[in-house]
Amino acid sequence: MNFELYACVHAAELPAQALLRLRPELRAQPVVVLEGPAAQQAVCALNQRARQRGAVPGMARLDVESLPEMKLLWRSVQAETVARSILLECVSQFSPRIDDALGDACWDEGRQAGQATACAFVLDIQGTERLFGAPEQLAQRLRSCLSAAGFHVSIAVSANFHTARLVAAHRGGIRVIATGQEAAMLAGLPLTALGRDADLAEILAHWGIRNLGELAALPEAELVTRFGAKARAWSALAQGRAAHLFRPIQPALRLEEFCAFETPVAQMDSLLFTAARMIDCLAQRAESRALALATITARMRLEDGSWHQRAIRPALPSLDRRFLLKLVQMELGAHPPQAAVTSLLLQAEPGQSRQMQLGLFAPQMPEPSRLDITLARLKSIVGEDRVGSPVLEDTHRADSFHMLGFVADRAGAGQRPQNGSVQAPGAPERQSHRLSLRRMRPPRPVNVLLHADRPVAFHDRKQSFKITAAYGPWNSSGCWWSAATWESGPEPHGSAAWNSVEWDVLATSPDGAPCACLLSHHPQSNVWHLEAFYD
Amino acid sequence: MPSAAVLQMEIERSLAARFPAALSPAPQTLGEAAATGVTAVDTLLQGGLPVGAVSELIGAESSGRTSLALAFVASRTAEGRVCAWVDTNDAFDPESAAGSGVDLNQLLWVRCRSTPCSQSSRDVPQAERRRSQSLPWTLLDQALRATDLLLHAGGFAAVVLDLATTAQEHGNRIPAATWWRFRQAAGSTHCSLVVLGRSAYAQSSAAIVLECVARQARASGGTILSSLQYDVTLKRDRSACISPRPIPARRPAASTWTTQPGWTQRTRRA
């Protein structure tokens, strides 16, 4: 009883499929893919419509250009690598045991020029009937899955590894080969299916042998006598009984999408149109593994040869295509590339989508995805570094803080140590309230009139204030023990030393309105500043 | 001759399928209020600032508007809620906020910048850019757009729109439609929008207008500013026209409250 069952997925014309996968609007047109140096460019892959128009692999560029309505594309190895990994990822949903059919030694020996541009994987599908049904149903589902990913493939199912591989490579559509029918199915295949051994093909042609069926009919012993030990393998292949040591590969999850543009793209809308399709594919692939997208990095190759890279990190891993596209749009809108884009590579890192049980009486919090978009929009309005939560520095220097990204952590609210807060949540109401400052950024230089070393009036560029009461002086200095330079002004300046004398003053403006403010004097520069108003 | 009540009933009955109670005024309910954390002000407001409405704190410099707004934000963040501070003139002081009890982790600070950021500068012509940079309207425009985004995003318990340093003539130029839009958005997202300004800008869209006035400054020993005292007057209360509250309370016309600098509090603790 045979316990083996294999399904081979063969994607022909991979260079063309890799380029057309993200541009379905080109699939209805005759498309050829060229490769080689500028003077010797030739067709390496083409689609069915181009073949109908008379294009063939190896045709020179000049000949192709003479064909009507032919769309010329250039081969992208990176796009093929990405397409191959996507194809592998798709088939891995149907079986954990996958062998790379083109990596097989026997296959490498006989790889033809046309087949070098193909991609094939053989799946061990024994025991998957309860999951995916009969082999016919599995093949149908496999092809539907790959078609959704943008691939046009042929599939063959057989109990023999090499039979499945050869039939998938030379017969289109879905072929399910019953056990014992391998030789009959292989009989019609040309001898070139075995490889590109020119001597063999020529000798067999002289003998009148033109397909595998006729080769299989030859006595094996006579073949071995004339061609050596490798003839035994040819005969076994032709008869559909060649043995194979299955070597499963472990597909690593690489969430990447690549698209090379025919002409540099300068319009952001055009770039996002392509990015939307790529994000859709990334989300679909992550979703198939019950994952979400934690980060998306967009790497753009620019027309001048440089790279432009931006990354988005949603607060929570997400599969919402529109939300992710909006974040990419906001990020690229805030940091647009400085030249037209020639290729776009999207790399995503997977993350676990979080589920959270909301409390009926829990305080309302911003929805994470909506908050991400709001923050991105706010940053586009006021600037990247102007939105967030302030964090106080551990220093006595005035107005020392830095900004951190705002995170509305529902779980951590009320549990984290409070940043700078004096009063803990739930504490009894404070009886005295803190006097607050309104800072001037940058501090406003003022002219101060002194009497007995105490300020009695000050004047800024607009109006004069009469000081009714002055409290001070309060000396403040720091970092003089380690810094080499002194601050030239009142603004915080890294680790430079500072020295200032502060006065709290009550003043009256010319229109009689009282105010309380904070004045500072910098002895090094002998400059007075209006630092803040008490309010 | 049927009476007006009968006519109204007949008309409403005939239109009931399309417009329920077409001629009857919509019932008004007392809205939820959130305590400001300042007892005197909460007593004045009979609970606190309204939730899902626009409140204005107006007054001159050093009138206690910022301290009152920070006390309100502190009480909201102490409940585990998140708040936002839209800082038109970049005057917000994080140290004062932390001293007032605000959990800075729960606070989103939006600092409007005086020069347009890179994105907008690419699109506008140079002459237009130079003109816009010279106008304070750019700051105000950023603040209004940021407030609009925050109110519509939802989830924020309080959004403070700080126009305290904005010139009165610029604040008065804010269209009434903008305030109406803010009022609707605050109502739908259950957010308290607190506007700090030199005068009342929101007009009929404001549910509460509190006027703050500096009253007295006190010093200890003649060398230390120990406290500032403020008067708060309720200038407008939209809910006052609604039916009286279930438990009638005597509402004072104005209240007085006091703030102290941080150094006096530390001294007391020590």
Side-chain angles (χ1 to χ4, degrees), chain B residues 1-267:
Chain B
M1 180 95 182
S3 67
V6 174
L7 278 174
Q8 178 182 347
M9 196 186 309
E10 288 181 354
I11 292 171
E12 285 188 344
R13 190 181 301 151
S14 60
L15 294 175
R18 297 171 60 193
F19 308 107
L23 300 180
S24 300
Q28 291 181 306
T29 55
L30 290 173
E32 184 187 349
T36 62
V38 180
T39 310
V41 177
D42 289 340
T43 307
L44 175 69
L45 297 175
Q46 296 185 358
L49 295 178
V51 175
V54 182
S55 305
E56 286 192 279
L57 308 181
I58 63 172
E61 297 281 7
S62 304
S63 59
R65 302 159 298 177
T66 309
S67 299
L68 184 55
L70 282 176
F72 176 62
V73 172
S75 68
R76 299 302 277 169
T77 57
E79 296 168 0
R81 302 175 191 272
V82 292
C83 301
W85 192 287
V86 182
D87 198 358
T88 311
N89 292 91
D90 199 12
F92 179 80
D93 182 36
E95 290 178 40
S96 298
S100 299
V102 175
D103 181 2
L104 297 182
N105 291 322
Q106 300 286 95
L107 181 70
L108 173 63
W109 182 18
V110 182
R111 306 166 65 191
C112 302
R113 70 163 72 230
S114 54
T115 55
C117 61
S118 58
Q119 182 202 6
S120 55
S121 63
R122 282 170 57 88
D123 303 332
V124 296
Q126 194 173 3
E128 177 69 19
R129 202 185 315 157
R130 199 178 300 123
R131 190 182 67 82
S132 65
Q133 282 175 359
S134 65
L135 290 177
W137 179 254
T138 309
L139 283 175
L140 199 50
D141 192 30
Q142 290 175 31
L144 295 177
R145 288 171 64 190
T147 306
D148 192 43
L149 282 174
L150 290 167
L151 287 176
H152 282 92
F156 289 92
V159 174
V160 179
L161 174 57
D162 188 351
L163 303 177
T165 322
T166 305
Q168 198 169 335
E169 58 267 27
H170 298 308
N172 286 332
R173 284 164 56 189
I174 300 172
T178 302
W179 296 113
W180 171 258
R181 180 177 164 84
F182 285 176
R183 174 187 162 184
Q184 295 298 108
S188 60
T189 56
H190 220 57
C191 171
S192 300
L193 174 61
V194 181
V195 183
L196 310 185
R198 293 189 174 175
S199 67
Y201 303 131
Q203 303 160 19
S204 61
S205 297
I208 293 280
V209 177
L210 286 176
E211 186 178 36
C212 305
V213 179
R215 183 181 186 189
Q216 189 181 7
R218 287 181 180 168
S220 62
T223 56
I224 301 175
L225 178 65
S226 60
S227 67
L228 287 177
Q229 203 170 40
Y230 309 105
D231 281 339
V232 180
T233 311
L234 185 59
K235 285 289 184 184
R236 172 187 167 83
D237 184 1
R238 202 171 58 210
S239 64
C241 59
I242 308 175
S243 58
R245 296 180 184 246
I247 304 174
R250 182 182 293 276
R251 170 183 290 190
S255 290
T256 302
W257 67 294
T258 307
T259 59
Q260 293 176 332
W263 51 84
T264 58
Q265 294 177 359
R266 287 201 187 100
T267 305

Side-chain angles (χ1 to χ4, degrees), chain A residues 41-367:
Chain A
Q41 284 182 337
V43 175
C44 69
L46 67 168
N47 65 358
Q48 190 61 31
R49 290 181 185 274
R51 205 179 290 274
Q52 289 168 357
R53 298 287 175 99
V56 291
M59 183 180 274
R61 179 180 176 175
L62 282 176
D63 298 334
V64 175
E65 286 177 340
S66 64
L67 298 175
E69 299 177 7
M70 195 65 69
K71 187 79 177 173
L72 306 185
L73 300 177
W74 279 261
R75 187 173 189 177
S76 167
V77 177
Q78 193 166 7
E80 288 173 39
T81 308
V82 171
R84 186 179 181 279
S85 67
I86 294 170
L87 184 65
L88 177 58
E89 197 178 312
C90 289
V91 299
S92 66
Q93 298 172 33
F94 292 85
S95 173
R97 284 169 51 82
I98 301 167
D99 197 350
D100 185 359
L102 295 183
D104 186 79
C106 176
W107 186 242
D108 276 343
E109 281 177 11
R111 185 178 290 177
Q112 293 182 358
Q115 290 165 339
T117 57
C119 176
F121 294 105
V122 179
L123 290 74
D124 181 1
I125 59 169
Q126 179 63 40
T128 59
E129 291 83 0
R130 289 189 178 181
L131 284 173
F132 302 108
E136 293 86 355
Q137 292 173 310
L138 180 138
Q140 288 286 358
R141 294 176 69 166
L142 190 54
R143 193 163 73 162
S144 301
C145 174
L146 292 170
S147 178
F151 292 101
H152 181 73
V153 296
S154 55
I155 299 172
V157 179
S158 170
N160 183 266
F161 180 94
H162 291 292
T163 303
R165 175 173 64 78
L166 292 174
V167 172
H170 293 86
R171 293 280 185 263
I174 294 176
R175 306 281 174 142
V176 179
I177 304 155
T179 306
Q181 298 297 316
E182 290 87 355
M185 184 59 75
L186 291 169
L189 299 187
L191 285 178
T192 52
L194 292 181
R196 51 181 171 179
D197 192 332
D199 295 339
L200 169 73
E202 189 177 346
I203 294 170
L204 291 177
H206 279 301
W207 291 358
I209 306 299
R210 304 194 183 279
N211 56 38
L212 296 187
E214 293 168 353
L215 177 64
L218 295 176
E220 184 180 322
E222 300 298 328
L223 274 176
V224 172
T225 305
R226 286 164 177 77
F227 292 103
K230 61 182 179 181
R232 190 187 305 275
W234 299 338
S235 180
L237 280 172
Q239 292 171 12
R241 55 178 180 79
H244 176 76
L245 178 62
F246 199 90
R247 287 171 294 190
I249 55 176
Q250 293 289 332
L253 179 61
R254 291 180 60 193
L255 292 175
E256 286 184 357
E257 288 288 345
F258 177 82
C259 183
F261 302 111
E262 304 146 43
T263 55
V265 176
Q267 295 290 325
M268 189 61 69
D269 289 345
S270 308
L271 192 63
L272 290 171
F273 184 77
T274 307
R277 203 181 302 278
M278 296 165 79
I279 290 174
D280 202 28
C281 292
L282 288 174
Q284 196 174 0
R285 289 167 57 193
E287 192 174 15
S288 67
R289 296 191 176 223
L291 294 172
L293 301 181
T295 64
I296 294 179
T297 304
R299 296 194 76 212
M300 285 155 277
R301 180 93 176 173
L302 305 185
E303 202 172 12
D304 56 5
S306 61
W307 286 90
H308 180 70
Q309 180 170 325
R310 301 303 307 173
I312 61 159
R313 292 176 181 81
L316 294 176
S318 173
L319 284 171
D320 189 341
R321 280 81 157 166
R322 291 182 62 187
F323 160 63
L324 294 170
L325 179 64
K326 192 70 185 173
L327 285 185
V328 171
Q329 180 189 1
M330 303 295 297
E331 185 67 23
L332 293 183
H335 306 279
Q338 298 302 312
V341 179
T342 58
S343 67
L344 174 63
L345 172 66
L346 288 189
Q347 296 172 312
E349 286 182 15
Q352 297 289 341
S353 55
R354 287 172 53 179
Q355 302 290 331
M356 183 178 289
Q357 177 65 50
L358 302 179
L360 185 61
F361 300 105
Q364 63 173 0
M365 300 288 273
E367 187 186 344

